[in-house]
């Protein structure tokens, strides 16, 4: 049997953009993922669909699995010859008990690697405009766990902490905040020393309260600050308002669900994140080539007989060119065939393969593409239409007015709806955690519905790329809006408009 291996991977503080490249690469190859409750949704969504999941649910005071059981689980899974990723919020070695997990593995001779993660005591203050060190204020930063067992005293040398005159960052200290602040004052810290509590930093739930060590407890209670949160004490906290940047982004505070085909990296998610949104990417649909596709093989054998090839999606482009390559052909086989694209995404996919589209309609939908083709074709032209097995009929209806043109509608791929277990979409929507759901096709709406069949879809505010997508959302009872143009940029603008309306309510 192949020997297994364990990777302790730090997932960072929540923002998936802070997950390291190495961590993501290793996670993509995982066969078993043992993960914590503090791992951000954006990182959890990166777990490969075929990986087996083990939720150990560790939060302060609430453990689904005891630490000793976690250690044994890592050992037993690795002994099966599997690639095991222990996915931990923040960094594995900063109060993450990574050292304890390694002790058993090292004793048993199991190979392992450590992948450090961006740690919250540095990143969360940074997202709140607080530099943990600043030449004018302090020259050191000290990270302390505020966790204590119920009924026990905090085991901290407060006098030593005060003497450092550095920035103090307390993790897992929300419930112990009264004791922490009182201890600092007893040890001689200036009662007016600036202090801050930072909730859910780097995510849409980020909130900040800045006060002093004398008033922070009262101000945090008034603001309703909850966990997870960190406490920062030091004069650098006074810079928060001046240096704040994250909440100034247009979509800061918005959590957006983006549905996409499993195989595609979402350009939409990237655009939304640049505007400050927390984006949860979930693969609502997946695609696969139709096996033993004799109709496509026959079409490829007679490519020279077509005057046009019309593509209705980037996915259709991908599967067509994969089939072309499998048939030992390349772009030279297209000869003088003219090529039509339904919209910008499809046109870009063609350009990546060295093909410039000859035709693209002004409105990016099937009816408009069909109408444009009907106007451009000559009598006797033949059109090859390689697309999804369940493609809509609008393009064919538009071309029906040209009986002198022959259309071969050839299915090249089929769509299916994978289920994912790691994130409860229904719970997040119904508890109001998701502000908007973004859909770029009617099939992604259907995939979302299949993934959460018991969801009350009336609670979903949907931003849709086009008419067909919006109609699919409306049929489910969603509050659905449509972008002005069927482009990614226009869809992002729609989300920004919806977010602004929500703020003004």
């Amino acid at each position: 049997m192949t020997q297994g291996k364990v990777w302790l991977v730090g997932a960072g503080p929540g923002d998936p953009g802070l997950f390291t490249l190495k961590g993501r690469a290793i996670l993509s190859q995982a066969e078993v993922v043992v993960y914590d409750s503090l791992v951000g949704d954006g990182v959890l969504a990166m777990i490969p669909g075929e990986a087996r999941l083990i939720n150990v649910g560790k939060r302060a005071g609430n453990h689904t699995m005891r630490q000793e059981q976690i250690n044994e689980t890592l050992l037993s899974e690795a002994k099966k010859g599997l690639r095991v990723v222990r996915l931990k919020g923040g960094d594995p070695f900063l109060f993450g008990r990574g050292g304890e997990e390694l002790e058993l593995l090292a004793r048993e001779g199991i190979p392992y690697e450590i992948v450090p993660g961006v740690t919250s005591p540095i990143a969360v203050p940074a997202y709140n405009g607080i530099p943990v060190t600043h030449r004018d204020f302090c020259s050191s930063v000290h990270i302390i766990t505020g966790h204590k067992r119920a009924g026990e005293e905090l085991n901290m040398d407060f006098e030593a902490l005060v003497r450092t005159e550095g920035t103090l960052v307390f993790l897992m200290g929300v419930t112990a905040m009264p004791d922490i602040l009182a201890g600092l004052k007893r040890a001689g810290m200036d009662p007016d020393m600036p202090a801050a509590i930072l909730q859910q930093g780097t995510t849409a739930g980020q909130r900040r309260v800045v006060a002093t060590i004398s008033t922070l407890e009262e101000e945090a209670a008034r603001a309703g600050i909850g966990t997870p949160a960190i406490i920062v004490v030091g004069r650098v906290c006074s810079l928060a308002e001046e240096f704040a940047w994250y909440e100034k982004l247009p979509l800061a505070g918005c959590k957006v669900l983006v549905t996409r085909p499993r195989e595609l990296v979402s350009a939409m998610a990237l655009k939304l994140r640049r505007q400050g949104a927390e984006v949860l990417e979930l693969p609502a649909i997946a695609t696969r080539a139709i096996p033993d596709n004799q109709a496509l093989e026959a079409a490829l054998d007679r490519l020279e007989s077509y005057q046009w090839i019309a593509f209705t999606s980037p996915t259709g482009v991908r599967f067509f060119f994969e089939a072309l390559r499998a048939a030992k052909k390349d772009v030279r086989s297209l000869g003088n065939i003219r090529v039509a694209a339904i919209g910008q995404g499809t046109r870009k996919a063609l350009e990546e393969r060295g093909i410039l589209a000859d035709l693209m309609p002004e409105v990016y939908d099937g009816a408009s593409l069909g109408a444009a083709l009907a106007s451009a074709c000559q009598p006797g032209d033949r059109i090859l239409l390689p697309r999804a097995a369940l493609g809509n009929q609008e393009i064919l209806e538009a071309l029906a007015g040209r009986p002198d043109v022959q259309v071969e509608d050839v299915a090249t791929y089929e769509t299916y709806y994978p289920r994912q277990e790691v994130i409860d979409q229904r719970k997040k929507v119904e508890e109001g955690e998701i502000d908007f759901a973004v859909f770029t096709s009617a099939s992604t709406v259907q995939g979302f519905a299949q993934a959460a069949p018991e969801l009350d879809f009336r609670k979903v505010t949907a931003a849709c790329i086009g008419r067909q997508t919006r109609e699919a959302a409306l049929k489910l009872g969603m509050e659905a809006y449509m972008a002005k143009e069927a482009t990614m940029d226009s869809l992002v603008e729609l989300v920004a408009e919806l977010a602004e309306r929500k703020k003004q309510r």
Side-chain angles (χ1 to χ4, degrees), residues 47-299:
I47 297 175
E50 59 274 11
R52 184 156 51 86
L53 306 174
I54 301 176
N55 180 7
V56 298
K58 288 170 68 67
R59 277 186 187 268
N62 182 16
H63 292 186
T64 300
M65 185 182 291
R66 294 177 58 84
Q67 186 62 52
E68 294 77 10
Q69 293 175 289
I70 296 173
N71 302 346
E72 290 289 346
T73 297
L74 297 176
L75 176 64
S76 64
E77 295 297 331
K79 281 187 171 180
K80 297 174 185 176
L82 300 173
R83 296 186 297 274
V84 183
V85 169
R86 173 69 173 101
L87 192 61
K88 306 168 76 72
D91 180 89
F93 278 4
L94 186 66
F95 304 128
R97 306 185 77 168
E100 295 178 42
E101 294 173 356
L102 288 189
E103 288 175 358
L104 182 59
L105 299 176
R107 191 163 61 243
E108 294 286 337
I110 299 296
Y112 56 83
E113 287 188 29
I114 314 301
V115 182
V118 174
T119 189
S120 62
I122 308 297
V124 170
Y127 267 54
N128 281 276
I130 299 175
V132 291
T133 64
H134 189 291
R135 186 170 61 176
D136 295 338
F137 296 122
C138 64
S139 58
S140 63
V141 58
H142 308 269
I143 302 169
I144 309 106
T145 176
H147 178 64
K148 66 170 186 174
R149 294 184 183 275
E152 293 185 0
E153 295 292 322
L154 279 173
N155 183 24
M156 291 184 195
D157 187 340
F158 286 106
E159 292 183 359
L161 292 175
V162 172
R163 284 197 302 271
T164 67
E165 297 186 354
T167 302
L168 308 178
V169 183
F170 297 89
L171 305 185
M172 299 173 286
V174 174
T175 57
M177 180 166 57
D179 295 337
I180 291 171
L181 299 176
L184 293 172
K185 285 186 285 187
R186 282 197 308 269
M189 181 173 280
D190 181 351
D192 292 327
M193 177 65 72
I197 186 164
L198 312 175
Q199 173 186 302
Q200 295 182 36
T202 81
T203 74
Q206 175 170 306
R207 298 177 66 208
R208 173 180 70 249
V209 171
V210 179
T212 68
I213 60 170
S214 300
T215 60
L216 184 63
E217 182 182 357
E218 179 184 350
E219 293 298 327
R222 182 180 291 116
I225 297 294
T227 58
I230 70 172
I231 299 167
V232 184
V233 177
R235 289 192 291 161
V236 291
C237 294
S238 64
L239 298 170
E241 296 305 317
E242 179 184 356
F243 289 173
W245 61 274
Y246 183 64
E247 60 260 43
K248 295 178 182 178
L249 297 173
L251 291 176
C254 287
K255 189 164 185 176
V256 182
L257 173 66
V258 174
T259 55
R260 59 172 175 81
R262 180 179 291 278
E263 299 85 355
L264 298 182
V265 176
S266 177
M268 171 58 63
L270 178 60
K271 290 177 182 292
L272 289 167
R273 286 183 179 126
R274 285 174 176 166
Q275 297 293 311
E278 180 184 356
V279 180
L280 176 56
E281 283 188 89
L282 292 179
I285 62 173
T287 53
R288 56 195 169 204
I290 294 174
D292 191 25
N293 194 341
Q294 296 182 15
L296 180 57
E297 291 174 6

Side-chain angles (χ1 to χ4, degrees), residues 431-446:
E431 292 183 355
E433 188 175 334
I434 303 296
D435 294 289
F436 311 109
V438 174
F439 299 106
T440 56
S441 69
S443 58
T444 58
V445 176
Q446 294 157 6

